[in-house]
Amino acid sequence: MNFKIAILPGDGIGPEIIGQAVKAIDAVCHKYGHTVNYTYGIVGAAAIDACNDPYPEATHRICLDADAVLFGAIGDPRFDNNPQARIRPEQGLLKMRQALGLYANIRPVSIFPTLRHRSPLRQELIDGVDFVCIRELTGGIYFGRPQGRSEDGQTAFDSCVYTKAEIRRICDLGFNYARNRRKKLTVVDKANVLATSRLWRETVQEIAPAWPDIEVEYMFVDNAAMKLIQQPKHFDVIVTENMFGDILTDEASVISGSLGLLPSASVGLHTSLFEPIHGSYPQAAGKNIANPVATILSAAMMFEYALRLPEEGNKIRQAVANTLQQEIVTEDISGNGKAYGTEEVGDAIARLILTDN
């Protein structure tokens, strides 16, 4: 098969970790006889520097023309530390999600047995953890209008806005995932305070009868945040709105032992996008210490979700698991053992893909 992949390295450690994922993609395509063509685009701070636009039209066309998009990270401290900046790298991410219609972010959370000791939670709490967070990605407070500041600069405001159609669309996806898993759906909201959350709950109650085999529970976001730590095995599929999902999925990522281990997929109306859940980690850029595993596992999700090649995706996962078992890991999960560089980990995973790992 022939594939067209859009590559958006982005900022910070983005180019380094994307480079290792490309090695894994090349290796699995070589093993299975596929041909892949890459087209690179700029996004985030790199795009602002080049053309004063965090998501240029040329990059958008590259994404639309691809079978899938592999994305690194966005963010730069030059903008983080300047509250007056009118253009920010993160605006490119929001613009990209909206332009590509990426309304659902899917983040699986599970534990690598060889890394249980790296989790901050006790082993008995995390053994068997396996759930999926489905986050609505193009609505809510990140996109709601009006948004801005008063003329005197003394007041700022953001609007959280949702329609029933947006809620129904993401929740139908959540029900579908639950049906193919353990048939339990947790809807996370703040319905005791927020009108948008009450609309979420009302909409789910309307559509739930169409899914009689799915157990549905409703949970306030503060309770969900606590339960993720106290009883992470409680969850099967979580569906929630944009900002709650942003926070909860980052919280859930530490259960595995490192933010550098978890991949994600963003799916919707056009080309699907695959990315690690962590940020640009600018302090590590160029030092060959960033963990590439989450990006490589995002490439595995790309084979499974976008290219419909589960065997190839599983081959990447097996290679990752074996490098972890062999303790070929970066410093964030090495503990007192030897820490390998970003390039070394990427090379080891590619090498194992090409062999019977």
Side-chain angles (χ1 to χ4, degrees), residues 64-115:
L64 286 178
D65 190 49
D67 297 308
V69 180
L70 188 65
F71 167 60
I74 271 182
D76 190 296
R78 290 177 295 154
F79 300 89
D80 297 340
N81 299 325
N82 179 12
Q84 304 303 320
R86 297 181 63 85
I87 302 176
R88 297 179 178 277
E90 291 77 12
Q91 292 171 342
L93 185 57
L94 298 181
K95 184 178 176 182
M96 178 167 59
R97 289 170 179 169
Q98 199 163 42
L100 292 175
L102 302 174
Y103 66 83
N105 182 244
I106 302 160
R107 296 187 177 186
V109 179
S110 59
I111 306 298
F112 286 101
T114 54
L115 293 179

Side-chain angles (χ1 to χ4, degrees), residues 15 47 67 70 98 147 160 165 220 231-232 243-244 253 259:
D67 297 308
L70 188 65
Q98 199 163 42
Q147 180 188 72
C160 186
F220 293 150
Q231 295 177 270
M243 185 169 69
F244 295 164
S253 72
L259 199 63

Side-chain angles (χ1 to χ4, degrees), residues 209-285:
W211 306 85
D213 56 328
I214 308 300
E215 175 191 351
V216 182
E217 69 171 351
Y218 302 91
M219 191 176 294
F220 293 150
V221 63
D222 41 359
N223 185 24
M226 291 186 289
K227 210 170 190 69
L228 276 173
I229 301 303
Q230 295 172 333
Q231 295 177 270
K233 286 184 281 191
H234 172 85
F235 297 102
D236 179 24
V237 177
I238 298 171
V239 64
T240 190
E241 61 101 62
N242 205 340
M243 185 169 69
F244 295 164
D246 191 359
I247 297 167
L248 290 176
T249 51
D250 278 3
E251 180 193 10
S253 72
V254 304
I255 297 172
S256 67
S258 172
L259 199 63
L261 294 173
L262 295 188
S264 77
S266 296
V267 302
L269 305 180
H270 302 294
T271 315
S272 296
L273 179 143
F274 302 85
E275 61 177 310
I277 75 163
H278 57 71
S280 61
Y281 193 14
Q283 303 91 332

Side-chain angles (χ1 to χ4, degrees), residues 28-326:
V28 83
C29 285
H30 179 80
K31 188 173 185 69
Y32 288 89
H34 304 308
T35 302
V36 59
N37 295 304
Y38 302 108
T39 305
Y40 285 74
I42 54 174
V43 68
I48 294 174
D49 291 341
C51 59
N52 206 38
D53 185 342
Y55 182 61
E57 178 60 28
T59 298
H60 182 56
R61 290 197 299 270
I62 289 170
C63 293
L64 286 178
D65 190 49
D67 297 308
V69 180
L70 188 65
F71 167 60
I74 271 182
D76 190 296
R78 290 177 295 154
F79 300 89
D80 297 340
N81 299 325
N82 179 12
Q84 304 303 320
R86 297 181 63 85
I87 302 176
R88 297 179 178 277
E90 291 77 12
Q91 292 171 342
L93 185 57
L94 298 181
K95 184 178 176 182
M96 178 167 59
R97 289 170 179 169
Q98 199 163 42
L100 292 175
L102 302 174
Y103 66 83
N105 182 244
I106 302 160
R107 296 187 177 186
V109 179
S110 59
I111 306 298
F112 286 101
T114 54
L115 293 179
R116 289 179 299 182
H117 65 289
R118 297 298 301 162
S119 175
L121 302 185
R122 298 192 309 273
Q123 185 170 317
E124 62 265 27
L125 292 178
I126 64 170
D127 280 347
V129 165
D130 177 16
F131 61 89
V132 175
C133 295
I134 299 179
R135 166 190 169 193
E136 201 289 323
L137 207 55
T138 56
I141 201 166
Y142 295 163
F143 291 93
R145 295 295 182 270
Q147 180 188 72
R149 298 181 70 168
S150 60
E151 290 186 8
D152 63 7
Q154 300 303 301
T155 303
F157 46 92
D158 299 281
S159 302
C160 186
V161 179
Y162 270 108
T163 66
K164 274 200 171 189
E166 289 173 318
I167 299 166
R168 177 180 290 271
R169 178 173 64 179
I170 192 72
C171 290
D172 278 339
L173 187 64
F175 276 108
N176 264 306
Y177 265 80
R179 174 165 284 175
N180 292 316
R181 289 175 53 87
R182 300 192 302 275
K183 295 181 170 54
K184 180 178 180 181
L185 182 69
T186 302
V187 181
V188 174
D189 61 27
K190 194 64 176 172
N192 57 335
V193 175
L194 300 177
T196 47
S197 283
R198 289 190 285 275
L199 183 63
W200 269 74
R201 192 167 291 205
E202 174 188 308
T203 304
V204 175
Q205 289 171 348
E206 289 174 356
I207 65 178
W211 306 85
D213 56 328
I214 308 300
E215 175 191 351
V216 182
E217 69 171 351
Y218 302 91
M219 191 176 294
F220 293 150
V221 63
D222 41 359
N223 185 24
M226 291 186 289
K227 210 170 190 69
L228 276 173
I229 301 303
Q230 295 172 333
Q231 295 177 270
K233 286 184 281 191
H234 172 85
F235 297 102
D236 179 24
V237 177
I238 298 171
V239 64
T240 190
E241 61 101 62
N242 205 340
M243 185 169 69
F244 295 164
D246 191 359
I247 297 167
L248 290 176
T249 51
D250 278 3
E251 180 193 10
S253 72
V254 304
I255 297 172
S256 67
S258 172
L259 199 63
L261 294 173
L262 295 188
S264 77
S266 296
V267 302
L269 305 180
H270 302 294
T271 315
S272 296
L273 179 143
F274 302 85
E275 61 177 310
I277 75 163
H278 57 71
S280 61
Y281 193 14
Q283 303 91 332
K287 297 181 180 178
N288 194 36
I289 61 173
N291 190 344
V293 165
T295 315
I296 293 170
L297 290 175
S298 296
M301 291 186 74
M302 179 186 75
F303 277 99
E304 294 162 347
Y305 283 62
L307 306 180
R308 309 298 183 194
L309 295 169
E311 184 177 344
E312 283 84 337
N314 188 54
K315 177 62 71 173
I316 295 174
R317 293 181 189 281
Q318 290 176 357
V320 168
N322 283 345
T323 57
L324 295 175
Q325 189 170 19
Q326 296 171 24

